[in-house]
C-alpha cells in the first residue's frame, strides 16, 4: 500500500481541496457556493486569519482534509484547538485517513501548548463517531445555535 502523508494545505491543492470540501458540504447537506469556497480558501492562506488546514495525501491525490483553529477558552484561561471540518473521500474511508489527520492535529496541539482539541459532529454521523470514540472522549455538553 502506498504511503499516506498529512501536511498543511498548499495553494496548488485548490482544485482537489474544493472537490473534497464540496463532498463535505454534500455530506452535511450544506450548499457549497463559489463564494463559500473562495472565502474558506482565502482564510486558509491568510496568515492573519486563525483558520488553518491540513490535507491527507496518497499517491499525489488529496483524500482528506481537516480545517482547524486556535480557540480561547475563558473558563480555563487558556487557548485550546477547535476542529471545524474533517472529511475523508468516500473511496478512502476505512484506511485510517481520519485517524492520521487527527493524530497530526494532536501533534500540533502539543507543539502549541493546547491542552485539548474540541469538535462537534452530527448525532447520526455514526461512522465518524466510531473513530472519535476511539481517539477522544465524548463530553456531556449539548450544542445550541441561535440565529439572529
Amino acid at each position: 500500500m502506498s504511503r499516506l502523508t498529512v501536511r498543511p494545505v498548499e495553494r496548488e491543492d485548490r482544485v482537489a481541496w474544493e472537490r473534497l470540501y464540496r463532498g463535505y458540504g454534500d455530506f452535511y447537506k450544506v450548499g457549497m457556493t463559489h463564494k463559500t469556497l473562495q472565502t474558506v480558501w482565502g482564510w486558509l492562506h491568510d496568515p492573519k486569519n486563525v483558520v488553518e488546514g491540513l490535507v491527507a495525501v496518497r499517491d499525489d491525490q488529496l483524500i482528506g482534509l481537516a480545517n482547524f483553529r486556535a480557540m480561547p477558552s475563558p473558563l480555563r484561561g487558556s487557548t485550546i484547538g477547535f476542529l471545524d471540518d474533517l472529511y475523508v473521500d468516500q473511496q478512502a474511508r476505512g484506511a485510517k485517513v481520519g485517524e492520521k489527520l487527527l493524530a497530526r492535529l494532536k501533534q500540533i496541539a502539543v507543539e502549541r501548548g493546547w491542552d485539548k482539541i474540541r469538535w462537534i459532529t452530527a448525532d447520526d454521523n455514526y461512522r465518524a463517531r466510531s473513530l472519535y470514540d476511539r481517539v477522544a472522549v465524548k463530553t456531556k455538553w449539548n450544542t445550541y445555535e441561535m440565529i439572529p
Side-chain angles (χ1 to χ4, degrees):
M1 181 176 266
S2 56
R3 188 165 179 254
L4 174 69
T5 59
V6 174
R7 61 165 171 76
V9 65
E10 298 171 354
R11 289 198 181 274
E12 297 78 25
D13 297 329
R14 183 160 187 167
V15 171
W17 178 90
E18 281 189 10
R19 178 185 58 80
L20 289 171
Y21 207 58
R22 282 183 189 278
Y24 180 69
D26 290 347
F27 179 82
Y28 279 113
K29 296 175 179 44
V30 174
M32 199 61 61
T33 66
H34 176 72
K35 183 177 190 252
T36 300
L37 291 165
Q38 190 172 7
T39 298
V40 176
W41 186 254
W43 289 344
L44 291 170
H45 297 286
D46 179 356
K48 294 178 184 171
N49 195 289
V50 297
V51 177
E52 298 178 66
L54 297 171
V55 290
V57 183
R58 178 176 286 140
D59 298 328
D60 296 323
Q61 300 292 312
L62 266 62
I63 57 173
L65 63 80
N67 297 327
F68 67 97
R69 60 192 154 94
M71 183 178 91
S73 179
L75 188 59
R76 289 171 189 76
S78 67
T79 300
I80 65 173
F82 192 87
L83 174 64
D84 287 289
D85 311 311
L86 179 70
Y87 182 74
V88 174
D89 186 80
Q90 286 187 354
Q91 281 70 38
R93 292 185 187 159
K96 302 202 181 290
V97 177
E99 286 182 29
K100 295 276 189 184
L101 285 160
L102 290 170
R104 178 62 188 122
L105 186 53
K106 188 174 184 177
Q107 290 173 330
I108 290 168
V110 170
E111 292 164 7
R112 297 183 185 181
W114 301 342
D115 63 354
K116 66 178 68 221
I117 303 162
R118 186 175 281 163
W119 65 89
I120 60 174
T121 194
D123 192 51
D124 63 353
N125 191 356
Y126 302 113
R127 185 161 192 172
R129 286 179 55 200
S130 70
L131 163 61
Y132 302 155
D133 287 343
R134 286 193 310 274
V135 301
V137 175
K138 185 177 182 309
T139 70
K140 64 181 181 176
W141 302 102
N142 295 315
T143 302
Y144 293 86
E145 292 182 340
M146 181 184 298
I147 309 294

